[in-house]
Amino acid sequence: GQQVMQIPQYQHVQEGEDFTTYCNSSTTLSNIQWYKQRPGGHPVFLIQLVKSGEVKKQKRLTFQFGEAKKNSSLHITATQTTDVGTYFCAGASGGGADGLTFGKGTHLIIQP
Amino acid sequence: DGGITQSPKYLFRKEGQNVTLSCEQNLNHDAMYWYRQDPGQGLRLIYYSQIVNDFQKGDIAEGYSVSREKKESFPLTVTSAQKNPTAFYLCASSATQGSPLHFGNGTRLTVT
């Protein structure tokens, strides 16, 4: 079945440093979605990427979808303490049990 | 405001007892999902439903059961057959299968 690998599992950064998390799918995706989960909270949808090579920005967050639609990245510029949490990618293949397969997430820990 | 309501937030049960977790949505979404989250495991799909009176097993359905008698409601029963039921349970909905998920606040179940 489809697998989505996400790295790193944990990332410690100093406040103000940049952060990047990467997702790789074993199959070509129809779209990829990114979610953020604050400690003690629930995942919240951030963005969906659909087109090959697509790049989208939300303030300090930049999302990319690979040309082959099998990989994606989330980059945060100049992290702030409010960025703390776990970032999940979820790939949609158009098939599979629910059409969405989640990566295991990257835990972002920020040291002030 | 539209959203997903899960109740209760915390639930404690003795081993051997069945327990039902509630999930209600007023987003008029067709698809609903149940995920289990364990530390370091990401989100694993238990059951999903694309339409009333129909549902499918996800990746870890053993020891769980669901019903979808109304569009708004998708309760999950954790049965005594589930060998390791202590976990954080998240309900989600989406307009269609594979589209962005809206999550509830989750129910943290502890079985002793």
Side-chain angles (χ1 to χ4, degrees), chain A residues 78-96:
Chain A
T79 55
Q80 300 174 359
T81 54
T82 54
D83 295 326
V84 164
T86 303
Y87 293 84
F88 293 96
C89 62
S93 64

Side-chain angles (χ1 to χ4, degrees), chain B residues 46-58:
Chain B
I46 304 172
Y47 268 98
Y48 71 103
S49 168
Q50 296 181 56
I51 197 168
V52 173
N53 291 323
D54 187 45
F55 48 83
Q56 282 78 40
K57 293 181 179 180

Side-chain angles (χ1 to χ4, degrees), chain A residues 33 35 37 42-43 48 97-98, chain B residues 35 37 48 97-98 101 104-105:
Chain A
Q33 300 168 24
Y35 294 80
Q37 185 175 22
H42 60 277
Q48 178 176 278
D98 67 333
Chain B
Y35 287 91
Q37 188 172 35
Y48 71 103
Q97 184 180 345
L101 300 178
N105 288 334

Side-chain angles (χ1 to χ4, degrees), chain A residues 8-109:
Chain A
Q9 186 176 1
Y10 294 92
Q11 183 74 60
H12 292 79
V13 301
Q14 295 284 336
E15 188 175 7
E17 292 182 338
D18 292 357
F19 159 77
T20 305
T21 174
Y22 301 90
C23 269
N24 281 287
S25 170
S26 57
T27 60
T28 301
L29 301 171
S30 59
N31 73 73
I32 193 157
Q33 300 168 24
W34 285 90
Y35 294 80
K36 176 185 179 181
Q37 185 175 22
R38 293 181 185 274
H42 60 277
V44 174
F45 172 73
L46 294 176
I47 209 160
Q48 178 176 278
L49 304 171
V50 179
K51 299 177 183 177
S52 169
E54 188 170 15
V55 177
K56 287 189 175 181
K57 292 190 176 184
Q58 291 179 349
K59 297 183 180 178
R60 294 178 293 105
L61 278 62
T62 302
F63 304 84
Q64 292 187 331
F65 201 11
E67 294 290 339
K69 299 183 74 173
K70 295 179 74 174
N71 61 289
S72 182
S73 65
L74 158 59
H75 180 82
I76 302 178
T77 302
T79 55
Q80 300 174 359
T81 54
T82 54
D83 295 326
V84 164
T86 303
Y87 293 84
F88 293 96
C89 62
S93 64
D98 67 333
L100 268 184
T101 301
F102 278 81
K104 290 191 174 183
T106 295
H107 302 263
L108 174 60
I109 299 112

Side-chain angles (χ1 to χ4, degrees), chain B:
Chain B
D1 286 339
I4 300 179
T5 301
Q6 288 187 245
S7 61
K9 186 173 182 180
Y10 298 96
L11 191 54
F12 298 88
R13 280 293 182 272
K14 293 290 186 184
E15 193 174 322
Q17 294 179 334
N18 292 353
V19 59
T20 298
L21 282 57
S22 169
C23 179
E24 304 278 333
Q25 56 102 356
N26 60 4
L27 298 166
N28 200 32
H29 283 169
D30 286 323
M32 296 188 74
Y33 311 81
W34 275 104
Y35 287 91
R36 171 180 171 141
Q37 188 172 35
D38 297 284
Q41 292 291 327
L43 296 166
R44 292 186 290 170
L45 182 66
I46 304 172
Y47 268 98
Y48 71 103
S49 168
Q50 296 181 56
I51 197 168
V52 173
N53 291 323
D54 187 45
F55 48 83
Q56 282 78 40
K57 293 181 179 180
D59 300 317
I60 56 166
E62 185 175 350
Y64 300 97
S65 65
V66 294
S67 63
R68 186 90 187 272
E69 297 177 1
K70 299 187 298 181
K71 187 175 185 177
E72 304 80 18
S73 180
F74 192 41
L76 173 75
T77 297
V78 183
T79 74
S80 56
Q82 168 49 235
K83 295 180 179 176
N84 187 19
T86 294
F88 187 45
Y89 290 89
L90 287 159
C91 179
S93 71
S94 66
T96 58
Q97 184 180 345
S99 60
L101 300 178
H102 296 254
F103 285 89
N105 288 334
T107 292
R108 198 166 296 277
L109 173 65
T110 302
V111 177
T112 57

